[in-house]
Amino acid sequence: MRWDNLRLAATEQPVAAGASAPSLLARGAVTRTFNTPGFAGLTFYEIHARSVLNRVPPASRMAFRWTVNPYRGCSHACRYCFARGTHAYLDLDTGRDFDTQIVVKVNVAERLRSELAAPRWRGEHVAMGTNVDPYQRAEGRYRLMPGVLAALRDARNPFSVLTKGSLIVRDLDLLAAAAEVTQVGVALSVGFVDDELWRLVEPGTPHPRRRLEACAALGERGVPTGVLMAPILPYLTDSPAALARAVEQIAQAGASSVTPLVLHLRPGAREWYLAWLAEHHPALVGPYRRLYGSGAYAPRVYRDRIAAQVRELAERARIGAAVPRPGGRFAASAPQPDGAAERAVPADPAGPGRRDEQLALPGFGG
């Protein structure tokens, strides 16, 4: 594989029976599997990354230039995940391999500290969770994010986190400490609140209710947390009733903002999602092909209509109307995956203006 040269060197001897297991970050590790229900069927490749600050290509629609991804591949197994195509670069497939073959950058915190201290680094915003989720299931075992957050805090470097993982509440103290010295944005991703659909299309994620509970817990600690209402799935979660149910529960969680994002289907994700659709909702395959054609995005008129509906619902629910302002510098929401033409609701009057097909959220990437 292309990342073989990043694997840890095999220098340790097998552990004797009855002895303590070696550290998860032992230098003898190459691949690991764990015989616990939560990790059944998953394989982890522990590597030493040469660099962890990733520059976003200039042609990207992202409104920020730098990301950090402690993991590649994601056990959330969301059928629609736009990041699936990145696994092809590792000579792995974008379907089951993406869900079960997880690359773990065990030295991410160490490398990040070094790169943030480099003279050439200019302290730009760093986004996390815009490719694969840093709080996916593996994080409960590897605990990489505390080191990452501490490095960013100590460097006083602005950052944001977007996640479907309720595990983020574990690191609330670190987030709060970082917010005292720099700008921090947090957003939970909750596209819909339908139980049956969640089990089918996001099988490895925490229940939407648990994500909204995490949003509420963050807010109660003075950490305004936005919700990325994504993806909104055409013909499945885009009805007025479905949108209203989602926005109502997002409002009850005390979200500081809500940003709707309609499903986009890139190569890699497109094939996987349409195969899932053919199995579970075959009557929708034709309508999807007509709606998306050969492109990745639904038509602008459709996306604008959904955005307007969510905006009206959010204003009616007074989302963000009484967001507490902590002593630190928490921003209301985090940057999001590309393809988001819709603005956060409510918008920050001082924030950047709306851009065509580009992310533009309060406090980031202006």
Side-chain angles (χ1 to χ4, degrees), residues 49-53 68 105-123 126 128 144-157 174 177-178:
R50 292 174 176 172
S51 177
V52 297
L53 275 170
V68 169
K105 301 175 185 178
V106 295
N107 65 331
V108 61
E110 172 191 346
R111 287 302 309 147
L112 181 58
R113 281 189 178 275
S114 176
E115 292 172 30
L116 292 174
R120 64 181 178 276
W121 178 247
R122 295 291 181 257
V126 173
M128 292 170 284
L144 300 182
M145 283 299 289
V148 168
L149 296 177
L152 290 160
R153 175 203 62 197
D154 294 348
R156 297 173 177 257
N157 202 98
L174 273 168

Side-chain angles (χ1 to χ4, degrees), residues 337-357:
D338 67 353
E342 298 80 14
R343 287 173 63 178
V345 180
D348 184 345
R354 179 172 180 171
R355 302 180 196 173
D356 183 49
E357 294 296 334

Side-chain angles (χ1 to χ4, degrees), residues 179-210:
E180 291 300 319
V181 297
T182 191
Q183 186 182 57
V184 177
V186 181
L188 273 294
S189 177
V190 183
F192 49 85
V193 293
D194 181 278
D195 280 8
E196 182 178 358
L197 187 59
W198 161 69
R199 292 188 185 95
L200 289 174
V201 79
E202 299 176 343
T205 65
H207 192 282
R209 181 173 57 253
R210 288 185 57 200

